[in-house]
Amino acid sequence: MDPATIYNQVHPEETPELITSSQVALHDELAKLAPETKEGWLRAKEKCPDLVNDDHTLMFLRCEVFNADLAAARLVKYWKKRIEIFGDIDAFRPLHLTSSLGPEIEQGLSIQFMRLTQTMDTGNRSLMYAEAARLMGAYDKSNDNDRLNIARGIWYLFHSVLEEERVQKVGMVFLINYSGAHISVVDPKLMSMVMSSVSGCLPIRVGAIHVCNPPSFFEKVVFPIIRLFMNERMRKRIRLHIISCQETFLKEMNDKYGLSKEVLPRELGGYVTLDGIRWMEDRKRMEIDKNAVVSSSYTLFVEQVHDLFSVKDSHLELNEDVNESCLHWHASLLMLEMTQVGSTLFTVTRQHYH
């Protein structure tokens, strides 16, 4: 068993030449699309240029195995859906638990319907575990905002795992557990939000969807809804597991799919204990630490810029080392633009001084 090709996926060797040529091809494909088709993408370029840099578009190219036209289609769908999920203002802000979006995302995550196991299969794919029973009575189905917050939490989970380049390249495996779930968990609106996000939208390569302990209503109620949002390729990635003997199930998962007890959650007979609340707290601390580094870098940068310039009577005046200082100024900005953080600092500082 080749771990990398368990699910018959292609993993191309990335070279600088491939990445550069594919980025050019992607933007060529985007240019061909009608303005109304790519409205969300155009708004993102205007409102949050630091979020739609080359690293962002590279995720979509990797997801579509560097097929530029498919990546362009997924990218414009992504921004249309992101605006639908987060609204006209918050869609263009970073998805952070420590931002203004935090309370809504946290409300959705606190249900712990979906959780990352923080483990991998033998092909280095990350694992996403979903427990359907946790949706029972967890939110008000008559309240669309409750439903949206669950979807927002799921989007945050995906974006957190996409921070790893490894995941962008090899993808993820889904483990969906229906143990203890009643037909009341079926919510077509929520299923529509989630499935339309995963299929053809978010830049996630799906290795497989392992449905464990499918209930009697799965085939007649759940699957017909899922089919509406899945193409044939995605439907072929679904694996059903009726667990009558846990030992047999675990052996199959290990031998056939590269999923040992060491990487599976306890709910499926594995050794991994999941704690979604603790995971959220860890993510908050990480975001705070990261923001502190960015803030410190920005403060230092502004201090250095002030050393180059003196401000009198609201007019910007150059000091006596004008020529050399200007050279250093432009060189610093060019270097800063080479990174995502630098690009943000560049934009903010340029607005401040001009």
Side-chain angles (χ1 to χ4, degrees):
M1 176 184 64
D2 183 352
T5 58
I6 294 171
Y7 304 112
N8 299 316
Q9 288 181 305
V10 176
H11 302 288
E13 179 182 354
E14 292 188 14
T15 64
E17 293 77 17
L18 174 63
I19 292 174
T20 300
S21 63
S22 298
Q23 290 278 20
V24 172
L26 170 60
H27 287 286
D28 287 345
E29 292 296 331
L30 288 169
K32 296 175 184 177
L33 299 176
E36 59 271 19
T37 302
K38 56 184 176 183
E39 180 185 358
W41 163 249
L42 294 175
R43 291 176 64 191
K45 288 179 66 179
E46 176 187 353
K47 294 177 176 292
C48 55
D50 53 317
L51 293 182
V52 292
N53 55 21
D54 285 349
D55 288 340
H56 179 70
T57 52
L58 181 55
M59 290 194 298
F60 292 85
L61 285 166
R62 283 171 169 158
C63 181
E64 297 294 354
V65 201
F66 292 91
N67 187 317
D69 61 335
L70 294 179
R74 184 178 287 265
L75 182 60
V76 297
K77 286 180 182 178
Y78 167 91
W79 278 102
K80 180 179 180 180
K81 178 61 67 172
R82 179 162 169 153
I83 294 169
E84 178 185 318
I85 296 292
F86 291 97
D88 286 331
I89 297 175
D90 289 334
F92 304 107
R93 294 173 176 167
L95 305 186
H96 290 165
L97 284 169
T98 51
S99 71
S100 59
L101 289 167
E104 297 173 345
I105 294 173
E106 191 167 346
Q107 180 184 338
L109 287 174
S110 64
I111 295 174
Q112 300 190 69
F113 162 53
M114 277 193 177
R115 288 169 285 176
L116 290 165
T117 66
Q118 302 184 69
T119 56
M120 301 176 290
D121 70 2
T122 51
N124 291 327
R125 300 173 188 83
S126 286
L127 309 182
M128 181 77 81
Y129 174 72
E131 192 170 351
R134 286 183 173 269
L135 291 174
M136 293 192 301
Y139 67 103
D140 183 356
K141 287 186 178 181
S142 66
N143 188 329
D144 283 341
N145 199 54
D146 278 4
R147 191 178 285 109
L148 271 173
N149 286 341
I150 295 174
R152 289 163 181 157
I154 291 171
W155 269 63
Y156 179 83
L157 277 174
F158 284 129
H159 281 80
S160 69
V161 76
L162 281 169
E163 292 171 4
E164 297 186 56
E165 185 178 292
R166 166 187 58 81
V167 177
Q168 297 175 24
K169 291 179 177 180
V170 302
M172 300 185 66
V173 168
F174 291 81
L175 304 165
I176 304 178
N177 186 4
Y178 273 92
S179 291
H182 186 267
I183 195 170
S184 63
V185 303
V186 178
D187 181 350
K189 286 186 178 180
L190 179 60
M191 292 174 70
S192 170
M193 287 180 186
V194 175
M195 293 308 304
S196 60
S197 294
V198 174
S199 183
C201 180
L202 284 161
I204 291 285
R205 296 194 69 185
V206 178
I209 302 172
H210 293 279
V211 179
C212 305
N213 298 302
S216 57
F217 58 83
F218 181 84
E219 185 176 353
K220 293 184 178 180
V221 181
V222 177
F223 194 61
I225 298 174
I226 292 176
R227 284 176 61 92
L228 295 174
F229 303 97
M230 281 187 175
N231 56 32
E232 184 64 24
R233 183 180 64 176
M234 184 73 78
R235 289 198 292 268
K236 287 181 178 179
R237 298 198 177 281
I238 295 177
R239 308 287 192 274
L240 299 181
H241 305 276
I242 300 173
I243 308 176
S244 56
C245 174
Q246 190 172 78
E247 184 178 341
T248 302
F249 164 73
L250 291 172
K251 187 177 188 309
E252 179 189 26
M253 296 299 275
N254 180 74
D255 296 348
K256 191 173 181 179
Y257 301 110
L259 294 164
S260 66
K261 289 182 181 180
E262 285 73 22
V263 304
L264 291 173
R266 289 187 178 277
E267 290 83 351
L268 292 177
Y271 297 153
V272 179
T273 299
L274 302 179
D275 188 340
I277 303 303
R278 181 176 179 179
W279 181 86
M280 279 195 292
E281 295 304 316
D282 289 343
R283 287 287 302 182
K284 286 181 186 177
R285 284 191 290 270
M286 186 199 72
E287 290 176 5
I288 290 171
D289 290 344
K290 186 176 181 179
N291 289 339
V293 170
V294 172
S295 177
S296 176
S297 299
Y298 174 71
T299 301
L300 177 61
F301 178 74
V302 171
E303 289 175 352
Q304 291 173 342
V305 171
H306 272 292
D307 289 341
L308 296 176
F309 297 95
S310 58
V311 180
K312 295 180 181 179
D313 300 325
S314 300
H315 294 289
L316 195 63
E317 296 185 1
L318 299 175
N319 62 25
E320 60 184 2
D321 297 321
V322 58
N323 293 328
E324 184 178 358
S325 295
C326 281
L327 288 174
H328 284 301
W329 162 256
H330 289 294
S332 297
L333 292 182
L334 287 172
M335 291 177 66
L336 282 164
E337 281 195 291
M338 295 175 66
T339 66
Q340 183 174 351
V341 172
S343 177
T344 304
L345 299 184
F346 172 83
T347 303
V348 173
T349 307
R350 180 172 59 183
Q351 292 172 348
H352 178 73
Y353 283 99
H354 294 279

